[in-house]
Amino acid sequence: MPTGRFMTSPRSQNRQTVERDFVCAQERYAEWGVDVEKALKRLGLVAISLHCWQGDDVGGFENSGQEIGGGLAVTGNYPGKARTANELRADLDLAFSLIPGTHRLNLHASYAELSGRRIERDQLTPDLFGNWISWAKARQIGIDFNPTYFAHAKASDGLTLAHPDASIRKFWIDHGVACRKIGVEIGRALGTPCVTNFWVPDGMKDTPIDRKGPRLLLAESLDTIFSEPLDSRFHLDAVEGKLFGLGSESYVVGSQEFYLGYALSREKLLCLDTGHYHPTEVVSDKLSAVLQYLDRVLLHVSRGVRWDSDHVVILGDELEAIAQELVRGDYLHRVHIGLDFFDASINRVAAWVIGTRAMLKALLLALLEPTAMLRQLEADGDFTGRLACLEEVKTLPFGAVWDAWCERMNVPVGRAWLEHVRQYERSVLSERVQSDG
Ligand code: RNT
Ligand code: ZN
């Protein structure tokens, strides 16, 4: 006869272990003066914007047959890519269900639901995103937005808002105007400001003679796009710079300096993509610099590997450093956190889950830091103590707190989430036949 102990399900046994470890961890953190419950409460308020484009390799639903272009490249052909908006939403639902907390969706204009119609990007309207809005409303999540300045015949030479041809510039300006109208409608409908982020690929493969002209044009085009003021309760504009891309190795019009100046002078959000800088240059060190002058910042959290900027985010040194800066500087309420990576070589839903859970883990680690104590050591000039304690803090039982948080938020603990993704892969993703191979 099985005893009561053996009749306990593995799930509730797990729960007991998780709770026991949590209580021990809480005591250990208390020894360092850290209030674990306070950290968890703050973590619960953070919304990460999940980028729709990880779900279908930045494909979108225009079915125009255009190459992605813009210097963006997605490698891998893992089966099961979402082919329709409904499939993408189902995939996102699964990802959201495996990530603790309430998060957001980051949508690109190329994910409009055109129902087979051919609607040009300068003609996009909010109703084409109606299904996305209803979906988000039902889940009580916010949406952020992005105009799509790539994967289009009018962007095939790598120039859009800085194009020398005024009619092409006009087309892309109108696209920007249309996207802000969509963004503000999204924000109004969902009751949370939609951050609309402008990134354009404009640049040159080889050394340009004129670096100044395109920058004048880009500023002029952006000023035209932003000329209509929008209610900041519903909408915020962001601009994203870049160092180089495929095909824009020698010159990018919208560089870091260009957009820092633009965001400051026009009171826009600056978007810092962690994969858009020199390999040893880090966004963690930029936050306290730019936030001296800018009200708000948007993060595109990505992972650069050598020349590529878009690997799935993992819990590594730079991610931890970014989270530490956000917490230590009390910037969490001024920084919008979005993810930006695309990996088609692994299960795409898993990629979202891994990246978002990593971002949240980094934030929790930072929230559990005995910052006041470390600050004091630094203020006292005790750099020996600062380094010694920083190293000791690294082995505090953070994992036990993270597991308890997942349990509390009703999402799988540890690697248990992976089984849900595998199950979905077997029952849903494996049925998706790709038309484009
Ligand atoms: C490109 C930028 C941009 C894109 C998305 C798809 O280098 O990072 O944010 O990744 O708009
Ligand atoms: Zn980005």
Side-chain angles (χ1 to χ4, degrees):
M1 279 291 283
T3 66
R5 190 160 65 92
F6 288 113
M7 285 192 298
T8 326
S9 74
R11 169 106 180 118
S12 60
Q13 265 180 24
N14 261 344
R15 182 166 295 175
Q16 282 164 17
T17 317
V18 167
E19 263 160 35
R20 187 197 61 204
D21 291 353
F22 175 72
V23 172
C24 295
Q26 214 171 7
E27 280 169 21
R28 296 287 308 283
Y29 276 105
E31 288 164 17
W32 286 79
V34 173
D35 181 342
V36 171
E37 286 300 341
K38 194 174 155 210
L40 290 175
K41 202 164 166 204
R42 186 63 192 87
L43 183 67
L45 299 175
V46 176
I48 313 281
S49 204
L50 264 75
H51 52 317
C52 70
W53 53 93
Q54 164 57 44
D56 72 335
D57 314 342
V58 208
F61 303 124
E62 291 173 315
N63 298 318
S64 61
Q66 286 286 330
E67 293 276 303
I68 168 174
L72 308 177
V74 187
T75 50
N77 57 355
Y78 201 86
K81 167 169 88 172
R83 300 161 302 180
T84 63
N86 282 335
E87 288 182 353
L88 189 54
R89 282 188 284 266
D91 294 357
L92 281 161
D93 274 333
L94 175 62
F96 279 123
S97 77
L98 304 174
I99 299 164
T102 304
H103 301 288
R104 304 171 63 87
L105 173 69
N106 198 2
L107 203 54
H108 240 285
S110 52
Y111 290 73
E113 289 179 78
L114 306 177
S115 325
R117 286 163 296 174
R118 181 99 203 109
I119 298 176
E120 260 309 342
R121 292 208 192 146
D122 57 344
Q123 305 293 322
L124 292 175
T125 46
D127 56 295
L128 300 170
F129 297 88
N131 291 341
W132 285 110
I133 295 172
S134 319
W135 175 83
K137 203 179 260 175
R139 284 151 187 79
Q140 293 184 298
I141 63 173
I143 293 185
D144 300 306
F145 200 62
N146 305 260
T148 311
Y149 285 101
F150 49 83
H152 194 281
K154 287 195 163 71
S156 57
D157 56 2
L159 291 166
T160 62
L161 290 178
H163 204 288
D165 180 334
S167 70
I168 295 190
R169 280 204 310 281
K170 168 88 168 61
F171 173 82
W172 289 117
I173 288 169
D174 290 345
H175 177 55
V177 170
C179 285
R180 287 179 85 235
K181 293 205 166 103
I182 294 163
V184 76
E185 273 317 299
I186 290 174
R188 209 187 306 275
L190 299 175
T192 161
C194 169
V195 179
T196 298
N197 178 51
F198 283 75
W199 172 74
V200 298
D202 300 39
M204 296 220 169
K205 181 184 177 73
D206 226 330
T207 320
I209 304 304
D210 184 8
R211 290 177 185 266
K212 174 182 170 187
R215 289 189 169 136
L216 288 170
L217 288 177
L218 179 55
E220 188 185 289
S221 296
L222 289 170
D223 284 347
T224 311
I225 291 172
F226 295 138
S227 57
E228 190 190 339
L230 296 176
D231 190 333
S232 64
R233 284 174 306 163
F234 307 126
H235 188 269
L236 298 166
D237 298 303
V239 288
E240 178 181 9
K242 190 168 180 173
L243 178 64
F244 79 95
L246 285 170
S248 61
E249 289 86 354
S250 301
Y251 171 65
V252 168
V253 185
S255 58
Q256 160 72 8
E257 292 73 16
F258 176 91
Y259 279 122
L260 178 59
Y262 193 87
L264 272 173
S265 55
R266 271 65 165 185
E267 299 186 346
K268 301 298 175 198
L269 275 73
L270 180 68
C271 173
L272 300 170
D273 184 310
T274 60
H276 284 190
Y277 298 92
H278 288 277
T280 59
E281 192 183 358
V282 284
V283 164
S284 54
D285 184 49
K286 297 182 189 298
L287 290 166
S288 59
V290 299
L291 283 162
Q292 292 262 1
Y293 307 105
L294 292 168
D295 238 16
R296 282 168 182 273
V297 158
L298 168 64
L299 283 181
H300 268 190
V301 184
S302 189
R303 177 165 55 106
V305 175
R306 301 191 191 277
W307 55 83
D308 188 41
S309 69
D310 293 297
H311 282 58
V312 179
V313 168
I314 56 170
L315 186 61
D317 286 351
E318 173 54 6
L319 191 70
E320 289 184 35
I322 287 172
Q324 285 163 351
E325 281 303 304
L326 295 181
V327 172
R328 291 175 187 166
D330 191 19
Y331 294 132
L332 278 175
H333 60 294
R334 291 168 58 193
V335 176
H336 300 252
I337 307 176
L339 303 178
D340 185 8
F341 50 78
F342 18 96
D343 188 342
S345 72
I346 61 172
N347 182 298
R348 295 171 184 79
V349 179
W352 272 319
V353 178
I354 293 166
T356 317
R357 284 175 70 119
M359 184 71 240
L360 290 167
K361 284 178 197 165
L363 289 168
L364 178 57
L365 259 177
L367 287 161
L368 289 171
E369 182 186 79
T371 311
M373 180 234 199
L374 293 167
R375 236 187 249 291
Q376 191 55 53
L377 291 168
E378 185 164 282
D380 295 344
D382 183 357
F383 301 148
T384 309
R386 179 184 63 183
L387 184 61
C389 290
L390 271 173
E391 286 305 292
E392 289 309 320
V393 164
K394 286 181 181 170
T395 51
L396 285 177
F398 152 75
V401 181
W402 169 252
D403 286 349
W405 178 242
C406 290
E407 182 82 59
R408 252 190 230 182
M409 301 307 283
N410 272 315
V411 304
V413 172
R415 66 186 156 91
W417 66 263
L418 186 56
E419 196 38 55
H420 294 260
V421 174
R422 292 208 200 283
Q423 175 56 38
Y424 186 74
E425 182 167 317
R426 283 191 293 269
S427 60
V428 178
L429 301 183
S430 65
E431 301 294 315
R432 293 183 188 166
V433 181
Q434 299 300 330
S435 49
D436 58 4

